[in-house]
Amino acid sequence: MAAALRKTASLLRVKSGLLSPKAPLSGFSHMSRTKRVALATLGTLAAGSAGLVTALHMSVNAEEIDLHPPHLHWPHNGIFSTFDHASLRRGYQVYKEVCSACHSMQYLAFRNLVGVTHTEAEAKAIAEEYQIVDGPDEEGEMFERPGKLSDYFPKPYANDEAARAANAGALPPDMSYVCLARHGNEDYIFALLTGYCDPPAGVDIREGLYFNPYFPGQAIGMAPPIYNEIIEYEDGTPATMGQIAKDVSTFLRWASEPEHDQRKRMGLKALLILSLLLGVSYYTKRHKWSVLKSRKLAYRPPTA
């Protein structure tokens, strides 16, 4: 009698959905205790191995021991801020008198200086100081001519092999986009130029290299390029190391993005126009759609 009652109760639970006749067992419930312990041990070993590999990778990764440049507050980094054009002019002077002996800026043209660092007449005079190889002429020969505003900054070396030969095997990078190509942008340039120091105890630097904690690998082939009073500014600004580094960092940041100021002006104009359009759009929506939005549909049942 009791067995019949238990069977009837079980059938009722199945029909009511409380118990499925083919309910699957849990993934681990059908395993023995030994298998469950083995799987838990395997998972623990896998997680530990992954953590160990990650720790070893970070311990030998050179990027993790490089010193990150400190964040500086540049005047042009604000939302509505533009470049300091006086600093840009001084930065170009630093590049021309110090950096251009080794580093090229092959993607910057003399016309980019007009209205930013120099007037059009001054930029033309600067371009004419260089002899640009052009041609061929009517006789098929290459010739040299004075530079024009449409010309790009000439390279200090004829090719990369000549550049390496003149710099003990190191190739000086092109400075056109170097500011945006480095982590930290102008912060990195400033920190690199002012970060030369003696290596700490236990660190050996090969002959011909210099210790700089901000350079990847901390050993750089470029000698300290700037120091106090290395140049004399045209506007009389004291040429301290910090001032020189600031000006040339600002100039290289502008060279990486010459349209920086124009982009911000266009963005400001776009915001003003969109704000006006927003008001007009809101008024139109309220005026044209208020009738449709406030309509009510009433259902009237048919009368008999």
Side-chain angles (χ1 to χ4, degrees), residues 92-279:
Y92 170 76
Q93 183 181 351
V94 175
Y95 167 76
K96 181 180 179 181
E97 298 184 13
V98 180
C99 307
S100 63
C102 299
H103 296 276
S104 62
M105 294 191 75
Q106 58 179 332
Y107 300 109
L108 194 69
F110 292 107
R111 65 172 179 267
N112 297 126
L113 302 177
V114 178
V116 179
T117 60
H118 299 77
T119 63
E120 182 176 353
E122 290 174 334
K124 286 182 178 180
I126 292 174
E128 291 173 355
E129 295 177 1
Y130 298 91
Q131 292 295 318
I132 307 299
V133 178
D134 201 350
D137 55 13
E138 296 178 354
E139 299 178 356
E141 300 292 337
M142 304 299 291
F143 61 93
E144 291 186 348
R145 58 166 177 79
K148 301 182 295 186
L149 288 179
S150 58
D151 293 323
Y152 289 86
F153 287 10
K155 298 180 180 180
Y157 302 103
N159 48 60
D160 292 347
E161 286 69 21
R164 287 190 174 94
N167 292 275
L171 178 62
D174 184 82
M175 307 296 283
S176 302
Y177 299 105
V178 69
C179 193
L180 293 183
R182 298 295 186 269
H183 171 69
N185 303 137
E186 55 265 49
D187 292 337
Y188 170 79
I189 303 297
F190 183 89
L192 181 72
L193 294 176
T194 59
Y196 286 87
C197 59
D198 296 330
V203 176
D204 296 328
I205 301 297
R206 183 168 56 85
E207 184 179 359
L209 299 179
Y210 303 86
F211 180 79
N212 194 314
Y214 298 102
F215 186 76
Q218 301 179 346
I220 184 172
M222 179 177 66
I226 60 173
Y227 48 85
N228 292 331
E229 306 298 335
I230 188 175
I231 64 172
E232 183 177 353
Y233 280 132
E234 298 174 350
D235 59 359
T237 302
T240 62
M241 177 184 288
Q243 184 68 48
I244 294 173
K246 170 185 175 296
D247 292 335
V248 73
S249 299
T250 303
F251 175 74
L252 293 179
R253 177 65 177 85
W254 167 81
S256 300
E257 192 181 8
E259 69 279 0
H260 176 274
D261 293 354
Q262 183 181 2
R263 173 174 56 81
K264 287 189 175 181
R265 285 196 298 268
M266 292 298 295
L268 181 59
K269 294 178 181 178
L271 289 176
L272 293 175
I273 294 174
L274 289 176
S275 62
L276 295 176
L277 292 178
L278 179 62

Side-chain angles (χ1 to χ4, degrees), residues 62-96:
E63 295 181 357
E64 298 298 330
I65 61 176
D66 290 336
L67 188 61
H68 293 277
H71 178 67
L72 304 176
H73 297 282
W74 298 88
H76 54 267
N77 280 344
I79 299 178
F80 303 110
S81 302
T82 58
F83 281 109
D84 180 2
H85 288 235
S87 181
L88 290 178
R89 186 182 178 99
R90 293 193 298 267
Y92 170 76
Q93 183 181 351
V94 175
Y95 167 76
K96 181 180 179 181

